Amino acid sequence: DIQMTQSPSTLSASVGDRVTITCRASQSISSWLAWYQQTPGKAPKLLIYKASSLESGVPSRFSGSGSGTQFTLTISSLQPDDFATYYCQHYNSYPWTFGQGTKVEIK
Amino acid sequence: QVQLVQSGAEVKKPGASVKVSCKASGYTFTSYGISWVRQTPGQGLEWMGWISAYNGNTNYAQKLQGRVTMTTDTSTSTAYMELKSLRSDDTALYYCARGRSGSGSYPFWGQGTLVTVSS
């Protein structure tokens, strides 16, 4: 199975900060990577698919980059609604696995 | 609009089985597969498997092989996930999700079904 490792596990930031979350795959997954945002009590929300494509309706302050084994999710200017947990997920080959999550907290 | 509506919370004893449903609407059911993802309390997301609503082909996570069965009923546009021989560590919030065309990313999710396994 392909393992997905996110860093950091927790991130403390302030409104307006630029935030970067990293996801590393244990083997190449080309660009078959998605990013999700989850707030307590809610289902995950798709932000980015195919590593860098912005899902419809998602604010442009979210962006994704990378290919192969190294990927990043960047929030250009953190907003109050962005304090949440973020997950990466690969869909290169079965089983599709998720990273362990990165919690973005208020500093 | 695409909607996935799941069945209600369940409480089961260890060793029992649970069957969770996911009723789809707003699209042609047989055109997309349905995946199941679970989340244990305070923990991350675990992909459980996928079923094609077109032909019933399945792909399950290895750790659940032999205990999980995913099915669909095309007449009611409903997907089902049955988990047998329940253990306490199966206590989790279970989600169904639908991908975008030709992709394994999930823009559409059910509301989640809490399954509690307790003696």
mmCIF file of all heavy atoms in Angstrom, chain B residues 28-71:
data_model
loop_
_atom_site.group_PDB
_atom_site.id
_atom_site.type_symbol
_atom_site.label_atom_id
_atom_site.label_comp_id
_atom_site.label_asym_id
_atom_site.label_seq_id
_atom_site.Cartn_x
_atom_site.Cartn_y
_atom_site.Cartn_z
ATOM 1 N N THR B 28 -27.197 10.139 -12.518
ATOM 2 C CA THR B 28 -27.431 8.768 -12.976
ATOM 3 C C THR B 28 -26.592 7.817 -12.132
ATOM 4 O O THR B 28 -25.362 7.800 -12.239
ATOM 5 C CB THR B 28 -27.096 8.620 -14.469
ATOM 6 O OG1 THR B 28 -27.900 9.541 -15.227
ATOM 7 C CG2 THR B 28 -27.367 7.196 -14.944
ATOM 8 N N PHE B 29 -27.273 7.048 -11.289
ATOM 9 C CA PHE B 29 -26.601 6.246 -10.270
ATOM 10 C C PHE B 29 -25.550 5.314 -10.867
ATOM 11 O O PHE B 29 -24.464 5.164 -10.316
ATOM 12 C CB PHE B 29 -27.656 5.441 -9.505
ATOM 13 C CG PHE B 29 -27.112 4.608 -8.377
ATOM 14 C CD1 PHE B 29 -26.557 5.191 -7.253
ATOM 15 C CD2 PHE B 29 -27.175 3.218 -8.436
ATOM 16 C CE1 PHE B 29 -26.068 4.424 -6.204
ATOM 17 C CE2 PHE B 29 -26.693 2.435 -7.398
ATOM 18 C CZ PHE B 29 -26.137 3.042 -6.278
ATOM 19 N N THR B 30 -25.864 4.691 -11.988
ATOM 20 C CA THR B 30 -24.958 3.686 -12.559
ATOM 21 C C THR B 30 -23.750 4.276 -13.274
ATOM 22 O O THR B 30 -22.885 3.541 -13.745
ATOM 23 C CB THR B 30 -25.727 2.766 -13.527
ATOM 24 O OG1 THR B 30 -26.442 3.571 -14.468
ATOM 25 C CG2 THR B 30 -26.713 1.871 -12.768
ATOM 26 N N SER B 31 -23.664 5.591 -13.332
ATOM 27 C CA SER B 31 -22.541 6.236 -14.018
ATOM 28 C C SER B 31 -21.323 6.454 -13.127
ATOM 29 O O SER B 31 -20.247 6.824 -13.622
ATOM 30 C CB SER B 31 -22.983 7.580 -14.602
ATOM 31 O OG SER B 31 -23.941 7.403 -15.624
ATOM 32 N N TYR B 32 -21.478 6.233 -11.824
ATOM 33 C CA TYR B 32 -20.390 6.503 -10.884
ATOM 34 C C TYR B 32 -20.307 5.414 -9.835
ATOM 35 O O TYR B 32 -21.318 4.850 -9.422
ATOM 36 C CB TYR B 32 -20.604 7.838 -10.165
ATOM 37 C CG TYR B 32 -20.608 9.029 -11.072
ATOM 38 C CD1 TYR B 32 -21.791 9.446 -11.695
ATOM 39 C CD2 TYR B 32 -19.440 9.745 -11.331
ATOM 40 C CE1 TYR B 32 -21.793 10.538 -12.531
ATOM 41 C CE2 TYR B 32 -19.442 10.841 -12.170
ATOM 42 C CZ TYR B 32 -20.621 11.235 -12.773
ATOM 43 O OH TYR B 32 -20.630 12.323 -13.607
ATOM 44 N N GLY B 33 -19.081 5.169 -9.360
ATOM 45 C CA GLY B 33 -18.918 4.264 -8.240
ATOM 46 C C GLY B 33 -19.159 4.981 -6.926
ATOM 47 O O GLY B 33 -19.253 6.209 -6.868
ATOM 48 N N ILE B 34 -19.303 4.187 -5.881
ATOM 49 C CA ILE B 34 -19.459 4.716 -4.521
ATOM 50 C C ILE B 34 -18.330 4.145 -3.668
ATOM 51 O O ILE B 34 -18.046 2.938 -3.717
ATOM 52 C CB ILE B 34 -20.817 4.311 -3.913
ATOM 53 C CG1 ILE B 34 -21.965 5.018 -4.631
ATOM 54 C CG2 ILE B 34 -20.847 4.631 -2.408
ATOM 55 C CD1 ILE B 34 -22.125 6.498 -4.320
ATOM 56 N N SER B 35 -17.692 5.007 -2.925
ATOM 57 C CA SER B 35 -16.657 4.580 -1.982
ATOM 58 C C SER B 35 -17.177 4.727 -0.564
ATOM 59 O O SER B 35 -18.114 5.494 -0.303
ATOM 60 C CB SER B 35 -15.397 5.429 -2.150
ATOM 61 O OG SER B 35 -14.788 5.207 -3.393
ATOM 62 N N TRP B 36 -16.546 3.985 0.336
ATOM 63 C CA TRP B 36 -16.861 4.087 1.770
ATOM 64 C C TRP B 36 -15.577 4.448 2.503
ATOM 65 O O TRP B 36 -14.506 3.862 2.259
ATOM 66 C CB TRP B 36 -17.450 2.778 2.282
ATOM 67 C CG TRP B 36 -18.820 2.510 1.732
ATOM 68 C CD1 TRP B 36 -19.135 1.876 0.563
ATOM 69 C CD2 TRP B 36 -20.066 2.896 2.319
ATOM 70 N NE1 TRP B 36 -20.500 1.846 0.386
ATOM 71 C CE2 TRP B 36 -21.093 2.456 1.456
ATOM 72 C CE3 TRP B 36 -20.424 3.562 3.498
ATOM 73 C CZ2 TRP B 36 -22.450 2.664 1.724
ATOM 74 C CZ3 TRP B 36 -21.768 3.768 3.770
ATOM 75 C CH2 TRP B 36 -22.769 3.327 2.889
ATOM 76 N N VAL B 37 -15.707 5.407 3.397
ATOM 77 C CA VAL B 37 -14.582 5.931 4.176
ATOM 78 C C VAL B 37 -15.044 5.991 5.625
ATOM 79 O O VAL B 37 -16.179 6.402 5.888
ATOM 80 C CB VAL B 37 -14.182 7.344 3.687
ATOM 81 C CG1 VAL B 37 -13.087 7.942 4.568
ATOM 82 C CG2 VAL B 37 -13.716 7.292 2.230
ATOM 83 N N ARG B 38 -14.185 5.583 6.569
ATOM 84 C CA ARG B 38 -14.586 5.696 7.954
ATOM 85 C C ARG B 38 -13.601 6.544 8.745
ATOM 86 O O ARG B 38 -12.449 6.720 8.335
ATOM 87 C CB ARG B 38 -14.761 4.323 8.612
ATOM 88 C CG ARG B 38 -13.487 3.532 8.841
ATOM 89 C CD ARG B 38 -13.827 2.202 9.491
ATOM 90 N NE ARG B 38 -12.631 1.395 9.736
ATOM 91 C CZ ARG B 38 -12.647 0.200 10.312
ATOM 92 N NH1 ARG B 38 -13.807 -0.339 10.713
ATOM 93 N NH2 ARG B 38 -11.520 -0.456 10.502
ATOM 94 N N GLN B 39 -14.099 7.057 9.856
ATOM 95 C CA GLN B 39 -13.296 7.943 10.696
ATOM 96 C C GLN B 39 -13.548 7.571 12.142
ATOM 97 O O GLN B 39 -14.677 7.730 12.631
ATOM 98 C CB GLN B 39 -13.655 9.404 10.438
ATOM 99 C CG GLN B 39 -12.778 10.402 11.156
ATOM 100 C CD GLN B 39 -12.981 11.801 10.609
ATOM 101 O OE1 GLN B 39 -14.070 12.191 10.218
ATOM 102 N NE2 GLN B 39 -11.906 12.590 10.580
ATOM 103 N N THR B 40 -12.529 7.067 12.805
ATOM 104 C CA THR B 40 -12.661 6.712 14.216
ATOM 105 C C THR B 40 -12.615 7.988 15.046
ATOM 106 O O THR B 40 -12.058 8.991 14.601
ATOM 107 C CB THR B 40 -11.564 5.731 14.635
ATOM 108 O OG1 THR B 40 -10.300 6.242 14.195
ATOM 109 C CG2 THR B 40 -11.783 4.378 13.999
ATOM 110 N N PRO B 41 -13.203 7.939 16.247
ATOM 111 C CA PRO B 41 -13.315 9.151 17.066
ATOM 112 C C PRO B 41 -11.979 9.858 17.246
ATOM 113 O O PRO B 41 -11.004 9.269 17.711
ATOM 114 C CB PRO B 41 -13.854 8.617 18.395
ATOM 115 C CG PRO B 41 -14.594 7.377 18.031
ATOM 116 C CD PRO B 41 -13.839 6.777 16.890
ATOM 117 N N GLY B 42 -11.928 11.113 16.836
ATOM 118 C CA GLY B 42 -10.717 11.908 17.003
ATOM 119 C C GLY B 42 -9.558 11.510 16.105
ATOM 120 O O GLY B 42 -8.459 12.035 16.252
ATOM 121 N N GLN B 43 -9.815 10.624 15.169
ATOM 122 C CA GLN B 43 -8.736 10.124 14.307
ATOM 123 C C GLN B 43 -8.955 10.536 12.856
ATOM 124 O O GLN B 43 -9.891 11.261 12.522
ATOM 125 C CB GLN B 43 -8.652 8.600 14.415
ATOM 126 C CG GLN B 43 -8.331 8.117 15.805
ATOM 127 C CD GLN B 43 -7.017 8.654 16.315
ATOM 128 O OE1 GLN B 43 -5.990 8.583 15.639
ATOM 129 N NE2 GLN B 43 -7.037 9.210 17.514
ATOM 130 N N GLY B 44 -8.102 10.032 12.013
ATOM 131 C CA GLY B 44 -8.129 10.400 10.607
ATOM 132 C C GLY B 44 -9.087 9.552 9.794
ATOM 133 O O GLY B 44 -9.928 8.824 10.320
ATOM 134 N N LEU B 45 -8.937 9.665 8.489
ATOM 135 C CA LEU B 45 -9.836 9.027 7.540
ATOM 136 C C LEU B 45 -9.231 7.733 7.008
ATOM 137 O O LEU B 45 -8.044 7.688 6.672
ATOM 138 C CB LEU B 45 -10.094 9.988 6.369
ATOM 139 C CG LEU B 45 -10.716 11.330 6.765
ATOM 140 C CD1 LEU B 45 -10.587 12.325 5.629
ATOM 141 C CD2 LEU B 45 -12.181 11.141 7.139
ATOM 142 N N GLU B 46 -10.053 6.705 6.922
ATOM 143 C CA GLU B 46 -9.609 5.396 6.424
ATOM 144 C C GLU B 46 -10.477 4.986 5.247
ATOM 145 O O GLU B 46 -11.693 4.827 5.387
ATOM 146 C CB GLU B 46 -9.697 4.341 7.521
ATOM 147 C CG GLU B 46 -9.267 2.956 7.066
ATOM 148 C CD GLU B 46 -9.444 1.906 8.150
ATOM 149 O OE1 GLU B 46 -10.086 2.178 9.182
ATOM 150 O OE2 GLU B 46 -8.945 0.782 7.955
ATOM 151 N N TRP B 47 -9.863 4.783 4.086
ATOM 152 C CA TRP B 47 -10.580 4.320 2.897
ATOM 153 C C TRP B 47 -10.894 2.843 3.062
ATOM 154 O O TRP B 47 -9.995 2.040 3.337
ATOM 155 C CB TRP B 47 -9.710 4.556 1.663
ATOM 156 C CG TRP B 47 -10.314 4.197 0.356
ATOM 157 C CD1 TRP B 47 -11.111 4.979 -0.419
ATOM 158 C CD2 TRP B 47 -10.160 2.965 -0.358
ATOM 159 N NE1 TRP B 47 -11.457 4.324 -1.573
ATOM 160 C CE2 TRP B 47 -10.885 3.083 -1.562
ATOM 161 C CE3 TRP B 47 -9.466 1.777 -0.111
ATOM 162 C CZ2 TRP B 47 -10.950 2.060 -2.509
ATOM 163 C CZ3 TRP B 47 -9.529 0.756 -1.038
ATOM 164 C CH2 TRP B 47 -10.271 0.905 -2.228
ATOM 165 N N MET B 48 -12.172 2.485 2.913
ATOM 166 C CA MET B 48 -12.587 1.101 3.135
ATOM 167 C C MET B 48 -12.731 0.321 1.839
ATOM 168 O O MET B 48 -12.521 -0.901 1.815
ATOM 169 C CB MET B 48 -13.938 1.081 3.857
ATOM 170 C CG MET B 48 -13.932 1.726 5.215
ATOM 171 S SD MET B 48 -15.559 1.708 5.951
ATOM 172 C CE MET B 48 -15.782 -0.054 6.233
ATOM 173 N N GLY B 49 -13.137 1.002 0.780
ATOM 174 C CA GLY B 49 -13.335 0.286 -0.468
ATOM 175 C C GLY B 49 -14.232 1.050 -1.419
ATOM 176 O O GLY B 49 -14.699 2.157 -1.132
ATOM 177 N N TRP B 50 -14.470 0.428 -2.545
ATOM 178 C CA TRP B 50 -15.198 1.065 -3.651
ATOM 179 C C TRP B 50 -16.025 0.012 -4.366
ATOM 180 O O TRP B 50 -15.629 -1.164 -4.473
ATOM 181 C CB TRP B 50 -14.189 1.687 -4.604
ATOM 182 C CG TRP B 50 -14.711 2.158 -5.925
ATOM 183 C CD1 TRP B 50 -15.202 3.392 -6.218
ATOM 184 C CD2 TRP B 50 -14.798 1.411 -7.153
ATOM 185 N NE1 TRP B 50 -15.572 3.468 -7.549
ATOM 186 C CE2 TRP B 50 -15.331 2.257 -8.144
ATOM 187 C CE3 TRP B 50 -14.458 0.111 -7.511
ATOM 188 C CZ2 TRP B 50 -15.542 1.854 -9.454
ATOM 189 C CZ3 TRP B 50 -14.667 -0.305 -8.820
ATOM 190 C CH2 TRP B 50 -15.204 0.566 -9.768
ATOM 191 N N ILE B 51 -17.209 0.446 -4.852
ATOM 192 C CA ILE B 51 -18.031 -0.433 -5.657
ATOM 193 C C ILE B 51 -18.496 0.311 -6.897
ATOM 194 O O ILE B 51 -18.874 1.489 -6.819
ATOM 195 C CB ILE B 51 -19.241 -1.000 -4.869
ATOM 196 C CG1 ILE B 51 -20.066 -1.944 -5.753
ATOM 197 C CG2 ILE B 51 -20.113 0.118 -4.272
ATOM 198 C CD1 ILE B 51 -21.081 -2.774 -4.996
ATOM 199 N N SER B 52 -18.436 -0.348 -8.023
ATOM 200 C CA SER B 52 -18.997 0.207 -9.247
ATOM 201 C C SER B 52 -20.508 0.027 -9.219
ATOM 202 O O SER B 52 -20.993 -1.094 -9.054
ATOM 203 C CB SER B 52 -18.430 -0.523 -10.467
ATOM 204 O OG SER B 52 -19.193 -0.220 -11.616
ATOM 205 N N ALA B 53 -21.238 1.116 -9.389
ATOM 206 C CA ALA B 53 -22.694 1.017 -9.451
ATOM 207 C C ALA B 53 -23.141 0.532 -10.826
ATOM 208 O O ALA B 53 -24.318 0.214 -11.027
ATOM 209 C CB ALA B 53 -23.328 2.377 -9.132
ATOM 210 N N TYR B 54 -22.211 0.453 -11.760
ATOM 211 C CA TYR B 54 -22.530 -0.010 -13.116
ATOM 212 C C TYR B 54 -22.591 -1.532 -13.191
ATOM 213 O O TYR B 54 -23.537 -2.109 -13.717
ATOM 214 C CB TYR B 54 -21.481 0.526 -14.088
ATOM 215 C CG TYR B 54 -21.631 0.014 -15.497
ATOM 216 C CD1 TYR B 54 -22.688 0.417 -16.295
ATOM 217 C CD2 TYR B 54 -20.705 -0.884 -16.031
ATOM 218 C CE1 TYR B 54 -22.836 -0.063 -17.592
ATOM 219 C CE2 TYR B 54 -20.841 -1.364 -17.321
ATOM 220 C CZ TYR B 54 -21.902 -0.949 -18.099
ATOM 221 O OH TYR B 54 -22.039 -1.424 -19.374
ATOM 222 N N ASN B 55 -21.523 -2.187 -12.612
ATOM 223 C CA ASN B 55 -21.477 -3.642 -12.747
ATOM 224 C C ASN B 55 -21.234 -4.377 -11.437
ATOM 225 O O ASN B 55 -21.116 -5.601 -11.431
ATOM 226 C CB ASN B 55 -20.405 -4.047 -13.758
ATOM 227 C CG ASN B 55 -19.028 -3.547 -13.378
ATOM 228 O OD1 ASN B 55 -18.790 -3.170 -12.229
ATOM 229 N ND2 ASN B 55 -18.100 -3.540 -14.333
ATOM 230 N N GLY B 56 -21.149 -3.654 -10.336
ATOM 231 C CA GLY B 56 -20.976 -4.284 -9.029
ATOM 232 C C GLY B 56 -19.553 -4.687 -8.692
ATOM 233 O O GLY B 56 -19.324 -5.282 -7.629
ATOM 234 N N ASN B 57 -18.590 -4.377 -9.566
ATOM 235 C CA ASN B 57 -17.197 -4.679 -9.228
ATOM 236 C C ASN B 57 -16.797 -3.953 -7.956
ATOM 237 O O ASN B 57 -17.215 -2.820 -7.714
ATOM 238 C CB ASN B 57 -16.261 -4.253 -10.364
ATOM 239 C CG ASN B 57 -16.328 -5.201 -11.536
ATOM 240 O OD1 ASN B 57 -16.932 -6.260 -11.462
ATOM 241 N ND2 ASN B 57 -15.722 -4.815 -12.649
ATOM 242 N N THR B 58 -15.981 -4.623 -7.144
ATOM 243 C CA THR B 58 -15.573 -4.044 -5.872
ATOM 244 C C THR B 58 -14.058 -4.084 -5.703
ATOM 245 O O THR B 58 -13.361 -4.869 -6.353
ATOM 246 C CB THR B 58 -16.202 -4.798 -4.691
ATOM 247 O OG1 THR B 58 -15.883 -6.195 -4.795
ATOM 248 C CG2 THR B 58 -17.701 -4.619 -4.643
ATOM 249 N N ASN B 59 -13.592 -3.231 -4.829
ATOM 250 C CA ASN B 59 -12.198 -3.242 -4.402
ATOM 251 C C ASN B 59 -12.185 -2.850 -2.939
ATOM 252 O O ASN B 59 -12.642 -1.755 -2.604
ATOM 253 C CB ASN B 59 -11.375 -2.273 -5.236
ATOM 254 C CG ASN B 59 -9.899 -2.624 -5.223
ATOM 255 O OD1 ASN B 59 -9.283 -2.638 -4.168
ATOM 256 N ND2 ASN B 59 -9.352 -2.915 -6.382
ATOM 257 N N TYR B 60 -11.703 -3.753 -2.084
ATOM 258 C CA TYR B 60 -11.742 -3.530 -0.641
ATOM 259 C C TYR B 60 -10.347 -3.313 -0.069
ATOM 260 O O TYR B 60 -9.360 -3.869 -0.561
ATOM 261 C CB TYR B 60 -12.365 -4.731 0.078
ATOM 262 C CG TYR B 60 -13.774 -5.078 -0.328
ATOM 263 C CD1 TYR B 60 -14.177 -6.402 -0.451
ATOM 264 C CD2 TYR B 60 -14.723 -4.083 -0.591
ATOM 265 C CE1 TYR B 60 -15.473 -6.742 -0.810
ATOM 266 C CE2 TYR B 60 -16.024 -4.411 -0.948
ATOM 267 C CZ TYR B 60 -16.391 -5.743 -1.063
ATOM 268 O OH TYR B 60 -17.676 -6.063 -1.416
ATOM 269 N N ALA B 61 -10.272 -2.543 0.998
ATOM 270 C CA ALA B 61 -9.018 -2.425 1.738
ATOM 271 C C ALA B 61 -8.647 -3.791 2.301
ATOM 272 O O ALA B 61 -9.509 -4.509 2.829
ATOM 273 C CB ALA B 61 -9.169 -1.407 2.862
ATOM 274 N N GLN B 62 -7.378 -4.130 2.181
ATOM 275 C CA GLN B 62 -6.907 -5.460 2.591
ATOM 276 C C GLN B 62 -7.274 -5.782 4.031
ATOM 277 O O GLN B 62 -7.683 -6.910 4.332
ATOM 278 C CB GLN B 62 -5.389 -5.521 2.417
ATOM 279 C CG GLN B 62 -4.733 -6.822 2.841
ATOM 280 C CD GLN B 62 -4.207 -7.594 1.653
ATOM 281 O OE1 GLN B 62 -4.002 -7.036 0.583
ATOM 282 N NE2 GLN B 62 -3.976 -8.873 1.828
ATOM 283 N N LYS B 63 -7.169 -4.799 4.929
ATOM 284 C CA LYS B 63 -7.394 -5.082 6.344
ATOM 285 C C LYS B 63 -8.848 -5.445 6.638
ATOM 286 O O LYS B 63 -9.153 -6.010 7.683
ATOM 287 C CB LYS B 63 -6.955 -3.909 7.210
ATOM 288 C CG LYS B 63 -7.816 -2.682 7.143
ATOM 289 C CD LYS B 63 -7.376 -1.608 8.136
ATOM 290 C CE LYS B 63 -7.820 -1.926 9.541
ATOM 291 N NZ LYS B 63 -7.590 -0.789 10.477
ATOM 292 N N LEU B 64 -9.763 -5.120 5.721
ATOM 293 C CA LEU B 64 -11.174 -5.411 5.926
ATOM 294 C C LEU B 64 -11.651 -6.597 5.086
ATOM 295 O O LEU B 64 -12.812 -7.020 5.223
ATOM 296 C CB LEU B 64 -12.018 -4.179 5.595
ATOM 297 C CG LEU B 64 -11.778 -2.961 6.475
ATOM 298 C CD1 LEU B 64 -12.547 -1.761 5.926
ATOM 299 C CD2 LEU B 64 -12.187 -3.233 7.918
ATOM 300 N N GLN B 65 -10.780 -7.125 4.242
ATOM 301 C CA GLN B 65 -11.156 -8.266 3.395
ATOM 302 C C GLN B 65 -11.725 -9.398 4.241
ATOM 303 O O GLN B 65 -11.177 -9.771 5.264
ATOM 304 C CB GLN B 65 -9.928 -8.788 2.641
ATOM 305 C CG GLN B 65 -9.466 -7.912 1.512
ATOM 306 C CD GLN B 65 -10.163 -8.198 0.192
ATOM 307 O OE1 GLN B 65 -11.074 -9.011 0.128
ATOM 308 N NE2 GLN B 65 -9.741 -7.519 -0.863
ATOM 309 N N GLY B 66 -12.837 -9.930 3.790
ATOM 310 C CA GLY B 66 -13.479 -11.025 4.504
ATOM 311 C C GLY B 66 -14.523 -10.565 5.510
ATOM 312 O O GLY B 66 -15.371 -11.355 5.933
ATOM 313 N N ARG B 67 -14.480 -9.295 5.898
ATOM 314 C CA ARG B 67 -15.473 -8.773 6.861
ATOM 315 C C ARG B 67 -16.407 -7.755 6.234
ATOM 316 O O ARG B 67 -17.494 -7.495 6.750
ATOM 317 C CB ARG B 67 -14.783 -8.112 8.050
ATOM 318 C CG ARG B 67 -14.075 -9.079 8.994
ATOM 319 C CD ARG B 67 -13.991 -8.482 10.402
ATOM 320 N NE ARG B 67 -13.271 -7.224 10.449
ATOM 321 C CZ ARG B 67 -13.670 -6.156 11.143
ATOM 322 N NH1 ARG B 67 -14.798 -6.185 11.824
ATOM 323 N NH2 ARG B 67 -12.929 -5.048 11.157
ATOM 324 N N VAL B 68 -15.988 -7.138 5.123
ATOM 325 C CA VAL B 68 -16.787 -6.071 4.521
ATOM 326 C C VAL B 68 -17.378 -6.554 3.197
ATOM 327 O O VAL B 68 -16.734 -7.283 2.442
ATOM 328 C CB VAL B 68 -15.945 -4.794 4.299
ATOM 329 C CG1 VAL B 68 -14.870 -5.000 3.245
ATOM 330 C CG2 VAL B 68 -16.835 -3.611 3.947
ATOM 331 N N THR B 69 -18.622 -6.145 2.947
ATOM 332 C CA THR B 69 -19.278 -6.420 1.675
ATOM 333 C C THR B 69 -20.002 -5.157 1.231
ATOM 334 O O THR B 69 -20.791 -4.593 1.999
ATOM 335 C CB THR B 69 -20.290 -7.570 1.800
ATOM 336 O OG1 THR B 69 -19.641 -8.738 2.303
ATOM 337 C CG2 THR B 69 -20.913 -7.883 0.436
ATOM 338 N N MET B 70 -19.715 -4.719 0.022
ATOM 339 C CA MET B 70 -20.388 -3.542 -0.543
ATOM 340 C C MET B 70 -21.271 -3.997 -1.683
ATOM 341 O O MET B 70 -20.860 -4.797 -2.522
ATOM 342 C CB MET B 70 -19.351 -2.529 -1.025
ATOM 343 C CG MET B 70 -18.503 -1.989 0.107
ATOM 344 S SD MET B 70 -17.211 -0.855 -0.431
ATOM 345 C CE MET B 70 -16.324 -0.638 1.115
ATOM 346 N N THR B 71 -22.485 -3.497 -1.700
ATOM 347 C CA THR B 71 -23.457 -3.839 -2.729
ATOM 348 C C THR B 71 -24.209 -2.584 -3.163
ATOM 349 O O THR B 71 -24.113 -1.537 -2.509
ATOM 350 C CB THR B 71 -24.470 -4.871 -2.215
ATOM 351 O OG1 THR B 71 -25.112 -4.342 -1.037
ATOM 352 C CG2 THR B 71 -23.803 -6.194 -1.865
#
